[in-house]
Structure formats: structure tokens, C-alpha cells
Amino acid sequence: MDDCETLRQKKEKCYAKNGERAEKCAAFKLKEKRCLAFRHCPEKAKPYYGTLDAEKAMCGAFEEAYCFGNPRVMGIDSAKEKKSNVKIFNHHQRALGKIGGNRQKFRQCQAVSSALSKCLRQAS
């Protein structure tokens, strides 16, 4: 079984347990999308995500901050807080500030996101 399929199964299991709108399931959904983007649209995924294995590029981090920049979802301020979660959380919060506060960067990210979304729609 490949990584994208494993992520899809984790997402579906989360949906079955918590419902499709559950905040807890957002990370699984976004991780699956990232995997599929690099599989089907690598030339569009790279400007949005950076690389598959490294910290996300600013556009991906900005648009996914509702999940990975959310202290509730990431378990920040909880007894089970993990250092890796704090690093991911901080990266997404920085992206919110850098992109959200700059109209030109925001528009550039919208164009990058739109190109990736179009490619993913064509691939499915």
C-alpha cells in the first residue's frame, strides 16, 4: 500500500469516528492532499508546498494555518504538547503574518494555489 492510500485510510477512519467536519480530521485530509499533489502535479506542488519532506513553503503553510496553526488541533498548551507540534505550529503562524500582511504575496499565493487546485481536479 502506498503512502497516499495509507493517509486516505487514516482520514476515512477519522471521518467514521468523528464526522467529516471534525477539526480532528483536517490534518489527515491535508496530508493526503499534499501526498496526491506531489504524485499527480509535482510541478505545481513544489511552489505551493516546497518539498515533500521538508518544512512547507509559505503559501502552503499560510493556507493550512487554520489546521496546523490552530493550537487546539496541534495540542499546543496541553499536557501532551510535542516539540515537533510546536515547531509546525510556529511555522504556520509565521506564514500567516508574512502572507496575510502583504497583499502582493497573498495574491501570488492565490495564483499558486489556484494552479495546483486546477491540476488536482484534472488528475482526479
Side-chain angles (χ1 to χ4, degrees), residues 52-72:
L52 186 56
D53 301 322
E55 196 171 71
K56 284 186 192 126
M58 283 291 126
C59 290
F62 171 73
E63 289 193 352
E64 294 182 355
Y66 75 89
C67 175
F68 297 112
N70 182 329
R72 233 179 12 258

Side-chain angles (χ1 to χ4, degrees), residues 55 76 82-92 94:
E55 196 171 71
I76 307 300
K82 295 179 183 174
K83 286 184 181 181
S84 62
N85 283 359
V86 173
K87 183 179 177 185
I88 293 166
F89 173 81
N90 288 337
H91 176 67
H92 286 81
R94 278 192 308 277

Side-chain angles (χ1 to χ4, degrees), residues 2-16:
D2 69 350
D3 291 340
C4 295
E5 179 60 22
T6 301
L7 291 169
R8 186 194 64 76
Q9 288 178 358
K10 287 180 180 181
K11 177 191 74 175
E12 294 301 324
K13 185 176 179 181
C14 185
Y15 285 172

